[in-house]
Amino acid sequence: MKKLNVKNNEAAIYGVGGLGEIGKNTYGIQFQDEIILIDAGIKFPEDDLLGVDYVIPDYQYLVENKDKIKALVITHGHEDHIGGVPYLMKVLNVPIYAGPLAMALIKNKLEEHGLLNSVELHEISDKSVLKFRKMKVSFFRTTHSIPDTVGIAVHTPVGVIVETGDYKFDLTPVTNQPPDLQEMARLGAEGVLCLMSDSTNAEKPIWTHSEKWVGNSIAHIFDNIKERIIFATFASNISRIKTACDNAMAHGRKIAVFGRSMDAAIVNGRELGYLDIPDDAFVDAHELQSLPANKTLILCTGSQGEPMAALSRIANGTHRQISIQPGDTVIFSSNPIPGNTTSVNSVINKLEEAGANVIHGRVNNIHTSGHGGQEEQKLMLRLMKPKFFMPIHGEYRMLKIHTELAEQCGVPMDHSFIMQNGDVLALSKDTARMAGHFTAGDVYIDGSGIGDVGNVVLRDRQLLSEEGIVVVVATINLNNQEIQSGPDILSRGFVYMRESGELLDEGRRRVFKTIRKSMRAKKATESSIRNAIIDDLQEFLYDKTERHPMILPMLIMNGK
């Protein structure tokens, strides 16, 4: 078991995920034999992680210390903060504490994984207090792009450690849950030992626009559209869904909902009281045809260009119930996540080609970030007045800029710590120091497989995607040193076989000679023959094409 270099009178804080990256937020606060976990998120894969669905942290350190973990507390219900919960619960069954919306979303995830009845769940509010033997946890309300967002204060024997979660200071939120500035100021006045704060927008010298500002822009757009509206946003953005639905009802439009996650968001939002939409405001897909275009709003997923989301299928003409009609207006009420820009642009182009008018981008004022800019980050620092500072939730450059903002707000630069996942910061009442490191890499989720896709598999997938594959099939009798059939060569993604007959014929002759030569070797084995085929054919094909396809020999062995 990995033992941290932490003294008995020190608290330890660390990121299992979320440091030097956007996503995978999973943080630990530890004092002696008690650990409080904050969030358990996923990260969406970059383009080079071919076939990977999600990335989660390596939970090995947590598993080794599972008897110390008292609680998993959740700041809010976004995937990069709760998406890893079912995977964590499979190896580490600990009590979960979350606000109403986050809890509803977590229950859905646990049910999908067959874990709902085996996990201890506790719903909390911003007024809740959790007491453990040595530590205490309290909460304070913040604002983000999803309701029921809280920051977390962990009261340890050496001082209070605050983790903000994702936040901005939206003073006019449409969900009527303004940030609790008084509680933040009270924490700061009583003394914050260390602040762990969201760094996502640290590069932006702004105060992020309120959701109300977006609402005004959307209302103006609705006023000027006389045909059908298709509105795409994140299913988790309840505030934006509320704005769209409120405007639809104000203009006498019926609402049709498409996308499983959007359906779930509407159900949860109505049950929890965030969406005040009567039953008769909704219509089914088959009722759309009988309604005038100016009396309908289609609310759907797919604002990030996801291939299987409703909007992408509408754009591709493959949706069973909806097709683009001339005069349709499609509103993208989100900005592309880094890495999704190409997919989003492709969907926009297809929608435009089909005759739709597409409204997107910053110039139309139809989206605002859920994260505070530099001015809000400075306000958080001034309210909390921390002795030490650890920026979280951001890539390295964001973390670095955030420490510079902290210095402007009175935190000495040597009191700020830019850390990597697995780094441990030890805190006493007056000191902070780096105290070791544990392994905290990435684990890939591919389908139902957890961690069974590693770097070798990804390298193979990369090679297949770039260079293709060449399969060699032969039946051989090693005892008689005889080739009984073949070799045949099949190409997929390397060369078009019908137009490359000469190259493949020459390759077959070369492989035939290689197999015969390999079988005559004194200690010839199936493995040695395979390796000889790979080496020789790889060299031959590179000489002819300057490409390195994957070579896959399939040998049928007779006479063993």
Side-chain angles (χ1 to χ4, degrees):
M1 183 183 292
K2 182 75 175 178
K3 185 170 173 60
L4 303 184
N5 179 26
V6 179
K7 298 173 185 172
N8 219 32
N9 66 339
E10 292 177 319
I13 57 178
Y14 42 80
V16 185
L19 299 176
E21 61 189 352
I22 300 292
K24 248 170 67 215
N25 293 284
T26 311
Y27 306 99
I29 297 176
Q30 183 169 345
F31 184 80
Q32 295 176 4
D33 59 350
E34 289 187 356
I35 297 173
I36 303 297
L37 285 182
I38 300 175
D39 291 337
I42 59 168
K43 183 168 72 172
F44 294 102
E46 301 289 339
D47 289 342
D48 59 338
L49 297 180
L50 300 167
V52 172
D53 297 320
Y54 310 114
V55 185
I56 60 173
D58 182 345
Y59 297 133
Q60 187 58 40
Y61 175 78
L62 301 180
V63 171
E64 290 173 355
N65 291 273
K66 62 184 178 182
D67 294 337
K68 298 177 182 177
I69 300 173
K70 303 305 174 188
L72 169 63
V73 291
I74 302 295
T75 59
H76 67 284
H78 277 154
E79 287 294 304
D80 56 337
H81 294 259
I82 66 168
V85 168
Y87 304 106
L88 182 61
M89 290 301 107
K90 287 176 182 177
V91 297
L92 193 78
N93 198 329
V94 297
I96 300 174
Y97 298 82
L101 181 55
M103 183 60 77
L105 296 169
I106 288 169
K107 285 179 178 177
N108 291 343
K109 292 180 180 299
L110 293 174
E111 191 167 24
E112 285 178 14
H113 288 260
L115 297 169
L116 184 56
N117 295 327
S118 61
V119 177
E120 184 182 333
L121 301 173
H122 302 273
E123 191 174 295
I124 55 99
S125 74
D126 57 302
K127 303 302 181 188
S128 299
V129 177
L130 314 179
K131 293 183 178 179
F132 304 98
R133 200 157 54 85
K134 295 174 181 173
M135 292 193 284
K136 182 177 78 171
V137 180
S138 64
F139 304 87
F140 55 93
R141 191 171 60 238
T142 58
T143 43
H144 185 42
S145 56
I146 188 171
D148 297 334
T149 308
V150 293
I152 293 170
V154 179
H155 304 254
T156 78
V158 296
V160 177
I161 297 163
V162 171
E163 206 267 52
T164 65
D166 293 356
Y167 74 92
K168 66 178 183 178
F169 285 100
D170 188 343
L171 305 181
T172 54
V174 300
T175 52
N176 198 29
Q177 292 182 333
D180 192 344
L181 299 169
Q182 291 82 2
E183 180 61 17
M184 296 180 209
R186 188 189 67 78
L187 283 166
E190 291 182 358
V192 171
L193 179 63
C194 184
L195 175 65
M196 304 163 69
S197 186
D198 171 19
S199 306
T200 308
N201 277 350
E203 296 173 288
K204 298 180 180 178
I206 59 169
W207 187 292
T208 300
H209 282 297
S210 167
E211 191 65 34
K212 189 78 78 179
W213 173 82
V214 178
N216 292 336
S217 299
I218 290 173
H220 179 70
I221 290 170
F222 271 65
D223 287 341
N224 291 288
I225 296 174
K226 306 306 179 192
E227 299 293 330
R228 190 169 67 167
I229 298 175
I230 300 173
F231 193 97
T233 190
F234 292 111
S236 61
N237 195 336
I238 300 290
S239 299
R240 200 67 47 80
I241 293 170
K242 174 178 168 56
T243 298
C245 292
D246 287 351
N247 277 285
M249 290 186 290
H251 289 80
R253 291 178 181 267
K254 296 292 186 180
I255 303 161
V257 181
F258 292 91
R260 191 176 65 162
S261 57
M262 188 64 77
D263 268 325
I266 296 286
V267 170
N268 288 329
R270 294 177 77 198
E271 285 180 353
L272 295 169
Y274 302 125
L275 299 175
D276 185 15
I277 311 170
D279 289 342
D280 62 6
F282 294 101
V283 292
D284 292 329
H286 68 271
E287 297 177 80
L288 284 174
Q289 303 303 324
S290 61
L291 289 170
N294 66 342
K295 294 298 178 185
T296 56
L297 169 73
I298 293 171
L299 189 63
C300 66
T301 54
S303 63
Q304 294 300 306
E306 307 97 309
M308 295 309 295
L311 188 60
S312 291
R313 289 185 284 125
I314 294 169
N316 292 326
T318 58
H319 199 286
R320 289 180 300 159
Q321 297 159 311
I322 311 171
S323 58
I324 291 296
Q325 301 170 2
D328 282 352
T329 295
V330 181
I331 299 173
F332 277 76
S333 192
S334 67
N335 285 336
I337 294 172
N340 288 355
T341 304
T342 302
S343 300
V344 171
N345 288 341
S346 174
V347 171
I348 291 172
N349 285 331
K350 288 173 182 173
L351 290 167
E352 294 270 11
E353 287 172 14
N357 173 38
V358 181
I359 297 176
H360 65 99
R362 291 182 176 85
V363 293
N364 293 296
N365 301 335
I366 50 174
H367 182 62
T368 184
S369 175
H371 303 268
Q374 288 183 1
E375 298 308 308
E376 288 144 291
Q377 291 170 349
K378 287 188 279 190
L379 176 57
M380 182 65 80
L381 284 156
R382 288 296 187 189
L383 286 168
M384 293 293 177
K385 298 184 288 192
K387 184 174 288 186
F388 300 104
F389 178 60
M390 173 183 161
I392 60 172
H393 197 301
E395 296 174 4
Y396 180 85
R397 65 187 186 282
M398 302 167 188
L399 305 181
K400 183 172 183 293
I401 292 170
H402 208 167
T403 62
E404 294 165 1
L405 298 176
E407 186 177 32
Q408 294 173 27
C409 294
V411 180
M413 188 57 80
D414 62 357
H415 283 208
S416 287
F417 296 85
I418 301 175
M419 295 172 53
Q420 297 178 350
N421 293 330
D423 287 347
V424 179
L425 183 66
L427 298 160
S428 72
K429 291 182 179 180
D430 300 304
T431 63
R433 63 184 182 85
M434 299 302 292
H437 179 88
F438 59 83
T439 301
D442 290 342
V443 173
Y444 303 129
I445 307 292
D446 185 356
S448 60
I450 303 173
D452 54 358
V453 175
N455 290 331
V456 173
V457 173
L458 287 172
R459 191 181 68 235
D460 286 349
R461 289 180 180 179
Q462 188 77 26
L463 183 61
L464 285 167
S465 73
E466 293 175 353
E467 308 283 3
I469 185 171
V470 171
V471 181
V472 178
V473 183
T475 302
I476 63 176
N477 186 316
L478 193 53
N479 292 336
N480 299 339
Q481 297 182 1
E482 179 184 19
I483 301 174
Q484 295 180 327
S485 70
D488 294 317
I489 293 181
L490 303 172
S491 165
R492 292 292 182 271
F494 171 57
V495 292
Y496 185 43
M497 293 185 67
R498 196 171 293 175
E499 295 178 358
S500 305
E502 194 175 316
L503 172 70
L504 297 179
D505 285 344
E506 190 176 345
R508 267 191 290 272
R509 291 192 292 271
R510 183 149 178 163
V511 171
F512 185 87
K513 292 176 182 176
T514 300
I515 294 174
R516 289 188 64 179
K517 182 179 177 183
S518 301
M519 284 194 297
R520 289 171 182 158
K522 276 189 177 181
K523 294 183 180 179
T525 63
E526 182 180 350
S527 177
S528 68
I529 297 169
R530 283 176 185 277
N531 291 336
I533 292 170
I534 292 170
D535 292 343
D536 197 44
L537 193 55
Q538 191 81 261
E539 180 184 344
F540 166 73
L541 292 176
Y542 184 77
D543 285 343
K544 296 293 184 182
T545 66
E546 294 192 354
R547 288 159 65 194
H548 280 118
M550 179 180 286
I551 310 294
L552 183 62
M554 298 180 66
L555 300 180
I556 300 165
M557 309 295 287
N558 283 339
K560 282 189 175 180

